[in-house]
């Protein structure tokens, strides 16, 4: 990556955000729009093209189908934000973002998962979600194109669940954060200076040599989160995991939209405009899902031929005749403890704040989490949604955040 780094305008900032992609820009924008926050913000981003970020490879989906109440509420606010995007931007030039509510269709091929779907539907329903628990016959009646011979049940929600244009939201967060006074600097944080008692970060040091004093440091480094936390002497269980996306055309297209279908195999697929999208981990068995190098975006094309295509053709027989049109690999910022986010301050380095480890939930959770972290910085507490269940203390005690609905 050849990048011309630049020096920031000042030598001291109230908030230094390490990473300017989806989460760095969400936090910066939410801070910049809050009249109660009067501090200065520096966003340090090593690659202004964002070419290799998780943000650039996102499939921009959102679901309320979680088992943990806080995850459901986070997505409910995310849907509200997407549908009212122009109002949140307070700018007549901002576009309307369309939430394509085709829904997620979780398919259960065994009794245990069918019961899990029944339990999670009850939780979601209590929180106002439109999720339906469906028998195989009900699924077939609504979507005749599925093969449900090996399916026992499913969950589906057509209200505020589907996919959206996440790239435009990111562009506007960055644009409006800058307009509101946040400074973006093309550079790289290479080290941090802690106080003598280790309770706070006093300075961050940049690749170009500048020493920047800071009030708070926000780790928004995506799959590289542990590299940033190590500068403060902190280990977190976040690593890059490769995920494939396949775009394909069907010779005999479906006559209705394909929900984001989670097959029991772990492969998922959905309508993507005039085409279709499928995704999966990088291994055929799904059992071996190793960390990869930060710059490893190579694609094993046999995964499509030997694994993904047979699975989707089995689930949707019309997909036996399809043409692959595009493929890419992106990285999950994968939390190996429990595949959920790490949010909030460190227990000892009090001004180091995590926004890490979203494990594929990132874009759908970014509106609510950006808002919450901005509240934490401004007021010292969460005021909208209580995000403390995602706190770093669970990493120290090796206590998992329980979420049954992980893709």
């Amino acid at each position: 990556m050849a990048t011309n780094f630049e020096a920031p305008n000042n030598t001291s900032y109230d908030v230094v955000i390490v990473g300017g992609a989806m989460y760095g820009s969400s936090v910066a924008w939410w801070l910049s729009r809050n009249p109660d926050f009067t501090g200065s913000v520096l966003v340090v981003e090593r690659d202004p093209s964002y070419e290799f970020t998780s943000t650039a490879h996102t499939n921009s989906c959102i679901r309320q189908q979680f088992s943990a109440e806080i995850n459901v509420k986070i997505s409910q606010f995310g849907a509200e934000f997407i549908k009212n995007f122009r109002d949140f931007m307070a700018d007549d030039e901002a576009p309307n973002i369309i939430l394509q509510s085709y829904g997620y269709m979780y398919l259960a091929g065994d009794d245990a998962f069918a019961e899990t779907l029944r339990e999670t539907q009850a939780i979601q329903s209590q929180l106002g979600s439109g999720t339906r628990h469906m028998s195989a016959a009900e699924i077939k009646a609504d979507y005749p194109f599925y093969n449900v011979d090996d399916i026992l049940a499913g969950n589906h929600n057509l209200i505020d669940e589907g996919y959206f244009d996440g790239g435009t939201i990111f562009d506007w967060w960055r644009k409006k954060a800058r307009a509101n006074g946040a400074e973006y600097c093309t550079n790289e944080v290479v080290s941090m200076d802690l106080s003598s008692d280790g309770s706070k970060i006093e300075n961050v040091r940049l690749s170009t040599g500048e020493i920047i004093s800071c009030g708070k440091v926000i780790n928004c480094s995506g799959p590289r989160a542990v590299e940033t936390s190590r500068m403060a002497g902190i280990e977190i269980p976040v690593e890059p995991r490769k995920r494939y996306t396949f775009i394909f055309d069907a010779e005999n297209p479906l006559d209705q939209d394909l929900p984001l279908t989670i097959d029991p195999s772990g492969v998922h697929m959905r309508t993507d405009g005039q085409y279709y999208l499928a995704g999966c981990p990088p291994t055929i068995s799904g059992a071996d899902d190793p960390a990869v190098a930060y710059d490893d975006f190579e694609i094993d094309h046999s995964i499509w031929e030997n694994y993904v295509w047979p699975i989707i053709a089995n689930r949707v027989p019309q997909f036996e005749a399809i043409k692959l049109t595009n493929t890419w690999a992106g990285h999950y910022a994968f939390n190996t403890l429990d595949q959920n986010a790490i949010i909030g301050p460190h227990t000892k380095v009090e001004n180091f704040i995590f926004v890490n480890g979203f494990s594929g939930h990132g874009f759908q959770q970014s509106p609510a989490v950006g808002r919450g972290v901005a509240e934490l910085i401004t007021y010292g507490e969460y005021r909208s949604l209580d995000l403390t269940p995602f706190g770093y203390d669970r990493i120290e005690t090796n206590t998992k955040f329980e979420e049954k609905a992980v893709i």
Side-chain angles (χ1 to χ4, degrees):
M1 180 185 68
T3 301
N4 294 320
F5 285 169
E6 60 192 12
N9 294 330
N10 300 297
T11 58
S12 178
Y13 294 85
D14 294 294
V15 176
V16 174
I17 300 175
V18 185
M22 170 176 53
Y23 271 98
S25 291
S26 176
V27 173
W29 176 74
W30 281 103
L31 280 172
S32 74
R33 76 186 291 271
N34 188 335
D36 293 332
F37 177 77
T38 58
S40 54
V41 176
L42 175 67
V43 182
V44 182
E45 170 54 49
R46 62 195 298 273
D47 178 13
S49 76
Y50 300 95
E51 179 181 2
F52 299 110
T53 62
S54 297
T55 299
H57 298 103
T58 180
N59 292 334
S60 297
C61 299
I62 187 167
R63 60 184 164 106
Q64 295 181 33
Q65 292 191 59
F66 288 95
S67 67
E69 179 177 330
I70 184 59
N71 276 334
V72 178
K73 289 182 176 179
I74 285 172
S75 286
Q76 288 175 334
F77 176 71
E80 176 189 339
F81 183 86
I82 293 164
K83 294 191 299 181
N84 297 282
F85 181 71
R86 179 181 288 183
D87 292 338
F88 277 101
M89 291 298 104
D91 190 324
D92 290 340
E93 295 185 3
N96 288 314
I97 305 294
I98 305 301
L99 175 52
Q100 306 283 354
S101 293
Y102 303 153
Y104 280 57
M105 176 71 80
Y106 277 87
L107 298 176
D110 58 54
D111 290 330
F113 192 55
E115 182 57 29
T116 295
L117 290 182
R118 187 184 302 278
E119 293 171 356
T120 56
Q121 187 275 337
I123 293 168
Q124 294 153 21
S125 180
Q126 290 172 1
L127 296 171
S129 170
T131 308
R132 295 173 58 203
H133 185 68
M134 306 172 70
S135 67
E138 289 172 325
I139 295 169
K140 187 71 172 179
D142 284 0
Y143 297 97
F145 52 75
Y146 283 128
N147 167 24
V148 294
D149 290 348
D150 59 340
I151 298 302
L152 301 180
N155 278 4
H156 188 217
N157 177 17
L158 284 169
I159 301 172
D160 292 345
E161 187 170 276
Y163 71 98
F164 59 97
D165 181 359
T168 295
I169 291 177
F170 165 58
D171 289 342
W172 273 83
W173 275 341
R174 188 175 41 160
K175 172 183 175 181
K176 296 296 285 187
R178 280 176 161 156
N180 293 343
E183 180 183 344
Y184 278 65
C185 175
T186 301
N187 213 311
E188 186 172 4
V189 175
V190 294
S191 65
M192 300 180 188
D193 300 327
L194 274 71
S195 60
S196 58
D197 63 359
S199 66
K200 63 178 296 187
I201 297 163
E202 294 184 337
N203 308 299
V204 300
R205 295 176 180 257
L206 303 183
S207 180
T208 45
E210 290 80 13
I211 301 173
I212 308 298
S213 64
C214 49
K216 295 185 185 299
V217 175
I218 318 300
N219 185 354
C220 293
S221 304
R224 296 175 181 267
V226 70
E227 299 296 321
T228 298
S229 71
R230 284 172 179 162
M231 297 178 199
I234 302 166
E235 285 292 320
I236 55 173
V238 176
E239 61 188 31
R241 297 278 185 95
K242 192 183 293 186
R243 294 294 181 268
Y244 288 156
T245 297
F246 304 93
I247 305 298
F248 61 94
D249 197 4
E251 181 179 305
N252 183 19
L254 306 178
D255 60 5
Q256 62 190 116
D257 294 319
L258 174 66
L260 198 156
T261 305
I262 299 93
D263 189 81
S265 64
V267 170
H268 61 270
M269 55 183 166
R270 65 165 170 86
T271 292
D272 190 58
Q274 63 177 321
Y275 299 103
Y276 300 94
L277 176 153
C280 70
T283 52
I284 292 178
S285 68
D288 183 20
D289 184 16
V292 297
Y294 295 118
D295 61 352
D296 178 4
F297 295 93
E298 290 188 11
I299 297 169
D300 178 355
H301 293 282
S302 69
I303 295 291
W304 169 256
E305 292 286 342
N306 299 331
Y307 181 57
V308 176
W309 187 3
I311 285 172
I312 63 177
N314 172 67
R315 188 61 56 213
V316 180
Q318 283 175 241
F319 288 165
E320 290 181 0
I322 56 179
K323 178 182 179 181
L324 188 64
T325 63
N326 195 11
T327 305
W328 66 83
H331 289 171
Y332 273 9
F334 193 91
N335 179 353
T336 61
L337 175 64
D338 57 23
Q339 293 180 249
N340 277 267
I342 308 167
I343 304 169
H346 188 254
T347 51
K348 299 180 180 65
V349 187
E350 58 190 27
N351 66 335
F352 188 91
I353 296 176
F354 302 95
V355 189
N356 305 118
F358 288 86
S359 307
H361 304 155
F363 233 126
Q364 65 187 304
Q365 296 193 324
S366 58
V369 172
R371 178 184 63 173
V373 171
E375 290 169 352
L376 184 67
I377 294 168
T378 303
Y379 305 114
E381 63 181 3
Y382 299 118
R383 292 194 168 181
S384 49
L385 292 174
D386 181 7
L387 303 179
T388 55
F390 300 105
Y392 174 81
D393 57 329
R394 84 182 195 278
I395 307 302
E396 282 189 326
T397 61
N398 200 38
T399 304
K400 293 184 179 181
F401 175 96
E402 185 176 1
E403 173 55 68
K404 297 177 181 179
V406 172
I407 300 174

